Amino acid sequence: MRLRQIEVFRAVMLAGTVSGAARLLHVTQPAVTNVLLHTEDELGIKLFERIKGRLYPTPEGRTLYAEVERTFADIENLRKLAANLRGGHTGHLRITASPALCIEIIPLAVSRFVKQHPDVSLHIETHNYRDVLNTVLVKNVDIGFTFNPQPHPALESDVIAEGDLVGLFPAEIGDGLAPVVALDVFRQFPLIGLHTDDPLGILVRDACQASDVLLSPQIEVKTNRIAMALVENGAGVAIVDQYTAASADPARVRVKALRTPLRFTVNVIRARHHARSVVEQHFIAEVVEVERLIARAAAGRIDRAA
């Protein structure tokens, strides 16, 4: 049976007459009659007995109707699913992000997102820069969030925010420094630096070369989160992103603006030709909004010149 035949059969069962079925379906009575007769001929069984102007289902018709109702329930579930997918209310989203973005931005975005989309499930990973790219490339995740990604022929990248690198100093050191510091100030103290294969590490390296300032990290780390923890414990000084700095212990750490501004971008990346789901778009919008909130909070932590 085709879907139209099922609809007509069900309408006749519900209405009990051809005229009633026609009204339910918004078609003419002859159209209902023709479909019904064709269905009986095609199936080779009689579906209704015609008694005093009404149609009464045969035993075969009643048996068929039970299956038709199950089919219609499935169809209704499909319609609801399609509506939920269209509205971004259901689905599964796989995300990866750089560690610095997973301190506050991604967790807060996820918290806000799941309250609005309780039927969406999420899978979240945090990786260093190269692994974020690789995880997106092999399609183990749908989207990734990272800093300053290099162009790649198999990836699409969109800027969703911009920010600044800042200086982190133990309180006993930072209290004796000006609100805004030059890069050569970091030569005076043990430096905690990112690996130079990290986009933010590359940003610092290029700025030092342009300013003819040689900075050699005494301690090299993989993430800004580790750098911040080391500064909090007095192991040295560091240059980190503003989001990491915003989460530093204010009793133990001072955050300084850099005289030479070092700007970075926050990007969402996906495999090229990856179909963007509505759920994905809603989550990215949440990340953008959360970034703005945290960026404003981060700005309040930075010492600046009067």
Side-chain angles (χ1 to χ4, degrees), residues 23-63:
R23 284 193 297 271
L24 285 175
L25 297 173
H26 305 288
V27 297
T28 64
Q29 293 184 40
V32 171
T33 299
N34 289 337
V35 171
L36 190 57
L37 290 174
H38 179 71
T39 302
E40 290 179 327
D41 288 342
E42 195 174 76
L43 295 176
I45 57 176
K46 200 169 186 63
L47 298 175
F48 295 96
E49 295 287 350
R50 293 155 179 82
I51 304 173
K52 295 182 179 181
R54 292 191 64 84
L55 297 177
Y56 295 89
T58 63
E60 293 79 11
R62 286 193 295 271
T63 301

Side-chain angles (χ1 to χ4, degrees), residues 272-283:
R272 194 169 295 278
H273 308 307
H274 165 75
R276 305 181 187 186
S277 69
V278 176
V279 167
E280 178 183 313
Q281 294 171 30
H282 285 186
F283 183 77

Side-chain angles (χ1 to χ4, degrees), residues 9-24 54-55:
F9 170 68
R10 181 172 182 268
V12 173
M13 286 290 295
L14 293 174
T17 64
V18 170
S19 60
R23 284 193 297 271
L24 285 175
R54 292 191 64 84
L55 297 177

Side-chain angles (χ1 to χ4, degrees), residues 134-154:
N134 290 336
T135 305
V136 174
L137 279 170
V138 299
K139 300 182 180 179
N140 284 341
V141 297
D142 301 306
I143 51 176
F145 297 89
T146 191
F147 300 106
N148 289 18
Q150 296 297 308
H152 190 289

Side-chain angles (χ1 to χ4, degrees), residues 80-301:
K80 289 179 181 178
L81 176 61
N84 285 333
L85 290 171
R86 185 170 60 251
H89 301 305
T90 191
H92 180 64
L93 184 60
R94 302 168 302 164
I95 304 160
T96 184
S98 296
L101 298 172
C102 287
I103 297 174
E104 290 192 67
I105 292 178
I106 296 299
L108 181 54
V110 168
S111 177
R112 290 164 52 122
F113 179 81
V114 296
K115 289 176 183 176
Q116 298 296 321
H117 305 79
D119 293 324
V120 175
S121 59
L122 295 99
H123 172 84
I124 305 168
E125 302 177 6
T126 180
H127 292 292
N128 296 320
Y129 171 69
R130 293 295 174 191
D131 290 333
V132 167
L133 266 60
N134 290 336
T135 305
V136 174
L137 279 170
V138 299
K139 300 182 180 179
N140 284 341
V141 297
D142 301 306
I143 51 176
F145 297 89
T146 191
F147 300 106
N148 289 18
Q150 296 297 308
H152 190 289
L155 291 176
E156 292 182 354
S157 175
D158 296 312
V159 175
I160 59 173
E162 295 185 359
D164 291 289
L165 296 184
V166 295
L168 283 190
F169 298 85
E172 61 271 20
I173 293 175
D175 288 342
L177 298 174
V180 180
V181 297
L183 288 175
D184 59 7
V185 167
F186 292 89
R187 298 170 61 182
Q188 303 172 30
F189 311 100
L191 179 64
I192 303 158
L194 283 176
H195 283 227
T196 53
D197 62 349
D198 183 275
L200 299 187
I202 293 172
L203 183 60
V204 173
R205 181 199 65 193
D206 292 347
C208 289
Q209 290 178 349
S211 302
D212 199 24
V213 175
L214 178 61
L215 292 182
S216 298
Q218 181 177 350
I219 304 172
E220 196 171 54
V221 296
K222 274 286 189 180
T223 72
N224 279 336
R225 181 66 183 84
I226 298 174
M228 180 188 72
L230 289 169
V231 175
E232 286 178 332
N233 286 280
V237 301
I239 299 173
V240 302
D241 63 277
Q242 62 186 33
Y243 314 120
T244 298
S247 64
D249 183 351
R252 295 190 289 170
V253 174
R254 301 293 179 263
V255 184
K256 305 287 183 178
L258 301 179
R259 182 164 297 157
T260 302
L262 300 182
R263 299 282 288 169
F264 61 79
T265 62
V266 180
N267 295 62
V268 57
I269 59 174
R270 57 179 64 81
R272 194 169 295 278
H273 308 307
H274 165 75
R276 305 181 187 186
S277 69
V278 176
V279 167
E280 178 183 313
Q281 294 171 30
H282 285 186
F283 183 77
I284 293 171
E286 199 68 68
V287 171
V288 170
E289 180 60 28
V290 166
E291 188 281 333
R292 290 172 182 165
L293 295 174
I294 294 178
R296 286 196 290 270
R301 288 291 313 276

